[in-house]
Amino acid sequence: MTTENIYKPDLMEVVQVVQQTVDVKSVRIRFRDPERAKAFSFRVGQFGLYSVFGVGESTFNICCSNSKDYIEFCFRKTGRVTEAMWGIEVGSTIGFRGPFGNSYPVESWEGKDLIFVGGGIAMPPIRCAIEYALENREKYGRITVVYGARTVGDLVFRDELDEWAKYPNVDIVKTVDPGGETADWNGRVGFVPTVLGEAGIQGNNAVALVVGPPIMIKFSLPVLSQIGIADADIYTSLENRMKCGLGKCGRCNCGSVYVCKDGPVFNLEQMKQLPDDF
């Protein structure tokens, strides 16, 4: 009996590389093995480990919906692995292990309004859920996306924001921090929590997904509560502490929880049960 080696990465061909900002790229990859491609599936919100051979691997959310014939991820150039990954080109081969973790409960969201709140590089973990909701538009109510960054140049997937706005009952609110606007900027100027509070969103039949810098999340959560969204209906995705994806290294351990196995998706009700220093 042959046992699959969970540490052995699949070989993936790079089919697209897009530089989103000065230090952020998005990458699309496909399995080089056609049979592996046919057998592969994932749920919206799961993550993978992506490797540059001879350098190492890093953890990133799968930032496309599960209807695609490719996997897409987005990364910021911040360390040894991502520095090496910055140089990959179309046709390059990288490694992939996954999918890992739980997922967004998109079926339980059906019939409800969806509120997506993101900041900067946090848009990719939200993008997969937005894509899924738009592909299944008839299953959900009004969709509101509030997305901001420090400057206009720090916004990712900017062209897609305009495309999403063309769908029925979809509101896209773009904002940049004060001083981050340009002369041709046509969005809001203000911090995400403030803009979220001014958006006039009704939360009586809504769920929210909020991902971003800790300070943004901290001040966005009370706004979501004030408009009537219960803790159990406010979700986030935690991937910054994960490393091995298997609950072996202990880096993402928090009390009895391993983010890579029990997450990365948690609702606020669950988050409040975690230690305060998490």
Side-chain angles (χ1 to χ4, degrees), residues 4 10 12 31 33-41 96 98-99:
E4 182 180 356
D10 286 294
M12 311 294 288
F31 290 93
D33 181 350
E35 294 304 314
R36 177 68 175 119
K38 290 179 183 178
F40 179 79
S41 65
F96 170 79

Side-chain angles (χ1 to χ4, degrees), residues 92-243:
S92 298
T93 297
I94 67 171
F96 170 79
R97 292 196 292 125
F100 296 119
N102 64 357
S103 59
Y104 299 125
V106 291
E107 292 83 6
S108 69
W109 295 355
E110 292 179 11
K112 297 184 178 182
D113 295 337
L114 304 181
I115 302 166
F116 299 103
V117 185
I121 189 60
M123 175 50 75
I126 297 175
R127 177 178 179 251
C128 57
I130 296 174
E131 280 195 352
Y132 180 89
L134 294 178
E135 291 167 358
N136 297 273
R137 188 68 195 87
E138 72 284 354
K139 296 181 179 181
Y140 303 99
R142 178 169 291 277
I143 296 175
T144 304
V145 179
V146 179
Y147 173 52
R150 289 188 302 108
T151 72
V152 174
D154 291 315
L155 294 166
V156 298
F157 299 111
R158 288 178 59 185
D159 293 341
E160 294 186 11
L161 296 172
D162 296 332
E163 290 300 313
W164 296 343
K166 297 176 182 178
Y167 282 79
N169 293 321
V170 174
D171 298 319
I172 305 296
V173 183
K174 301 176 293 183
T175 187
V176 295
D177 292 353
E181 69 273 24
T182 56
D184 60 347
W185 174 241
N186 61 358
R188 296 286 303 274
V189 176
F191 298 110
V192 168
T194 302
V195 173
L196 175 65
E198 296 171 348
I201 300 171
Q202 301 297 313
N204 57 311
N205 183 40
V207 296
L209 172 56
V210 53
V211 186
I215 190 68
M216 188 213 81
I217 295 177
K218 176 181 178 180
F219 287 101
S220 294
L221 293 178
V223 177
L224 295 171
S225 296
Q226 288 166 12
I227 65 175
I229 305 181
D231 288 354
D233 291 324
I234 300 174
Y235 295 84
T236 192
S237 180
L238 305 173
E239 65 175 60
N240 61 323
R241 293 188 178 221
M242 298 187 298
K243 185 172 178 64

Side-chain angles (χ1 to χ4, degrees), residues 1-13:
M1 180 177 177
T2 302
T3 302
E4 182 180 356
N5 185 348
I6 58 176
Y7 297 103
K8 181 181 179 180
D10 286 294
L11 298 181
M12 311 294 288
E13 178 186 5

